[in-house]
Amino acid sequence: MRRLPYSLLFFAASIIVFVLQLIPVTGVFLMLVLAVLWSVALVNAGMIGVALEAAAGRVSRWWLVLPLAFYGGYWAFAALDHITLWRLTGSYDAANARVVTGFDPASQALVFEKDGSGAWLTQNYALPVVYSVNANFPEGYLSHRLMDSGACKRARSPEAQAAFVHAFGFHDGDAVGSRHLERRFCSLSMPERPDLPMVRVMQQESRTQVGSLPIRRTVTTITMPDGRRFELLGGVASPLKWLPMPMTGCGLNSGAAKWQCFAGFRRDDFTPIVSGDTRYRRDEKVLAGALGLQPVAIGDRKGSDPDLILKKIAAVADATLARQLANVDAMIADPLVKADWQVGVVSAHPDILVSRAEAIMTGVERAA
């Protein structure tokens, strides 16, 4: 033992903890106390301890090879990851800078093929409305607008909510700890089909690896009304952190229904590939730039015309009421008919239900 560094005991402790995690009974308790992170402290403490013991002459100087190889090799791979990320950033930025779509919000409607960042664009750019495809409604689309808080309260009536009109609050800020709630406006969504030529936005993600760098690549395709297509590149990468963080542990994989173990170095996940001064929303800013949208400062935000939007909400409620009444009449005629059983808007009109009371009771008797 005099010839071995005492610091090797840190490695032994790390191995013991990992072996105990392999056993589900003990592994569950160790998982609850975050034992997966213990190896970070134990391995680094062991490496630094070996280096100090060798430097102090307690053990042979040859032991310095162990921490030098560990940190030197790790930092070489980390540097390679960051160099790869830097190159990707340069190529993505150059490709995106060449995209100019000629989008005109006054004569064209921006439509996301899936639920995207349309609401965020209306909050932070001079864009009055954005749409998203949604097959759950007869209109086939949802609209997203910025609304004053006063109009938001009227849009939160039970009848409006039953017609799938929703007013959501939202936060400003990049980091979670510095975000604050916007109290002057809300983000309003409701079923509505665009009546202008549509500029469609489709985002597709794929997982791949460039060298040793894992990335989740995002390709945003913009299709103009005349058929022209543009592509924007983005996504996130997972480079190695500069501080080695070896992690070993086990956990329950509910999808595969098994106790699953892993070992590896922790990476800096969700690192944006395209350049920017924020951690999040960089891909959305690239999209806004390609569309020629002008950013709006938080203090300069403006909501949509409340009178116009309240009329649209009333029209949506009336259309929903008509559809729900048609379903009620169909169910009265045939209780076994396959119809939409949502009657939230109808229930806000008891006078209409009273006028159909006799027919409803007849339908109940027929069903019995």
Side-chain angles (χ1 to χ4, degrees):
M1 287 299 296
R2 292 179 181 178
R3 297 180 180 179
L4 296 176
Y6 292 135
S7 299
L8 294 180
L9 294 174
F10 287 110
F11 302 132
S14 181
I15 293 173
I16 292 172
V17 171
F18 180 61
V19 171
L20 291 175
Q21 290 182 85
L22 294 174
I23 307 170
V25 176
T26 55
V28 169
F29 292 101
L30 289 171
M31 180 180 65
L32 295 176
V33 295
L34 301 179
V36 64
L37 298 176
W38 294 5
S39 57
V40 176
L42 291 172
V43 172
N44 280 289
M47 291 296 177
I48 295 172
V50 168
L52 292 176
E53 289 186 61
R58 189 194 162 273
V59 295
S60 170
R61 298 292 172 86
W62 283 105
W63 279 101
L64 286 171
V65 174
L66 179 62
L68 288 175
F70 175 77
Y71 287 107
Y74 178 85
W75 283 327
F77 279 103
L80 184 60
D81 275 0
H82 285 272
I83 290 172
T84 302
L85 176 58
W86 175 73
R87 290 176 176 171
L88 279 177
T89 298
S91 63
Y92 281 22
D93 287 350
N96 293 336
R98 293 191 292 268
V99 177
V100 180
T101 62
F103 169 66
D104 180 12
S107 60
Q108 296 171 333
L110 186 64
V111 179
F112 283 81
E113 294 289 351
K114 298 179 180 178
D115 290 336
S117 305
W120 183 84
L121 290 176
T122 63
Q123 296 158 15
N124 296 280
Y125 291 86
L127 186 62
V129 60
V130 173
Y131 300 87
S132 59
V133 175
N134 195 310
N136 295 323
F137 307 101
E139 295 84 356
Y141 299 86
L142 285 177
S143 64
H144 308 275
R145 289 180 175 87
L146 192 65
M147 288 284 293
D148 296 330
S149 58
C152 295
K153 292 179 181 179
R154 286 181 283 175
R156 292 189 174 108
S157 67
E159 183 180 5
Q161 294 186 48
F164 304 101
V165 177
H166 299 291
F168 301 100
F170 61 92
H171 292 78
D172 293 312
D174 186 52
V176 175
S178 62
R179 300 181 72 194
H180 59 276
L181 180 66
E182 170 62 271
R183 300 186 182 278
R184 301 169 301 152
F185 301 95
C186 73
S187 184
L188 181 77
S189 71
M190 62 180 169
E192 182 183 1
R193 183 179 179 86
D195 53 8
L196 294 174
M198 289 183 278
V199 175
R200 295 184 173 270
V201 178
M202 168 65 81
Q203 294 179 321
Q204 294 179 312
E205 287 187 354
S206 60
R207 294 182 181 272
T208 185
Q209 190 162 315
V210 180
S212 60
L213 177 66
I215 67 171
R216 194 168 68 191
R217 189 170 183 257
T218 301
V219 177
T220 302
T221 304
I222 305 170
T223 305
M224 305 301 290
D226 59 6
R228 288 179 299 137
R229 295 165 62 93
F230 302 91
E231 285 191 351
L232 299 171
L233 303 178
V236 292
S238 301
L240 288 169
K241 291 178 173 291
W242 288 112
L243 174 66
M245 298 184 70
M247 299 176 63
T248 58
C250 302
L252 179 63
N253 185 339
S254 56
K258 65 178 180 180
W259 188 250
Q260 191 168 326
C261 300
F262 58 89
F265 289 96
R266 185 176 180 181
R267 292 177 171 271
D268 192 6
D269 295 327
F270 305 106
T271 299
I273 298 178
V274 298
S275 60
D277 54 2
T278 60
R279 174 77 176 182
Y280 304 103
R281 299 287 187 182
R282 293 193 193 179
D283 290 353
E284 286 85 345
K285 291 184 178 181
V286 169
L287 173 61
L291 294 171
L293 301 178
Q294 297 300 316
V296 174
I298 293 176
D300 296 332
R301 283 175 174 152
K302 293 182 180 179
S304 299
D305 181 357
D307 294 333
L308 174 62
I309 303 308
L310 290 175
K311 288 180 181 178
K312 286 181 175 288
I313 292 175
V316 170
D318 290 344
T320 306
L321 175 62
R323 287 196 298 268
Q324 291 185 358
L325 282 175
N327 287 329
V328 170
D329 292 337
M331 287 183 277
I332 291 173
D334 180 5
L336 299 181
V337 69
K338 291 183 179 180
D340 186 351
W341 287 82
Q342 298 186 68
V343 291
V345 180
V346 175
S347 64
H349 296 269
D351 54 321
I352 295 178
L353 288 175
V354 168
S355 68
R356 285 172 165 75
E358 207 53 48
I360 289 174
M361 292 307 301
T362 301
V364 172
E365 292 174 357
R366 187 181 297 114

